[in-house]
Amino acid sequence: ACCRLVASMSREPVTTVDEVLALDTDDVIAGYFDGSAGDNEPGDNRSKSYWHGWRNGRVDGGHDEKDMAMAILARRAAQCAGR
């Protein structure tokens, strides 16, 4: 379901390049693999980094559609890359 209520700060979608750069790479990768495999939404015991990876893995794995937060981040990243 694309319309989840955000229950904690770790569930706020990443929308800036600075936020991406602050994420823990190992947690992002672990979340990505779980999301792409179709795993259910992680609990509050997971970090923002893990949740970010899980969200992206779900989309890349064909389990969810890209949402507005992902589109905003992609646009901002493209702007930074163009500088």
Side-chain angles (χ1 to χ4, degrees), residues 24-76:
D24 179 275
T25 304
D26 291 338
D27 276 0
V28 172
I29 292 169
Y32 183 87
F33 283 128
D34 290 347
S36 64
D39 286 6
N40 291 329
E41 185 170 3
D44 287 336
N45 62 321
R46 296 295 194 161
S47 68
K48 183 171 188 160
S49 301
Y50 179 94
W51 192 67
H52 175 74
W54 176 83
R55 284 172 36 83
N56 282 279
R58 294 274 307 171
V59 169
D60 291 350
H63 307 286
D64 284 329
E65 297 291 323
K66 182 167 72 171
D67 61 20
M68 183 61 71
M70 291 174 172
I72 290 169
L73 177 57
R75 186 172 38 252
R76 289 176 174 167

Side-chain angles (χ1 to χ4, degrees), residues 15-17 70-83:
T15 58
T16 70
V17 174
M70 291 174 172
I72 290 169
L73 177 57
R75 186 172 38 252
R76 289 176 174 167
Q79 289 170 342
C80 287
R83 290 184 186 165

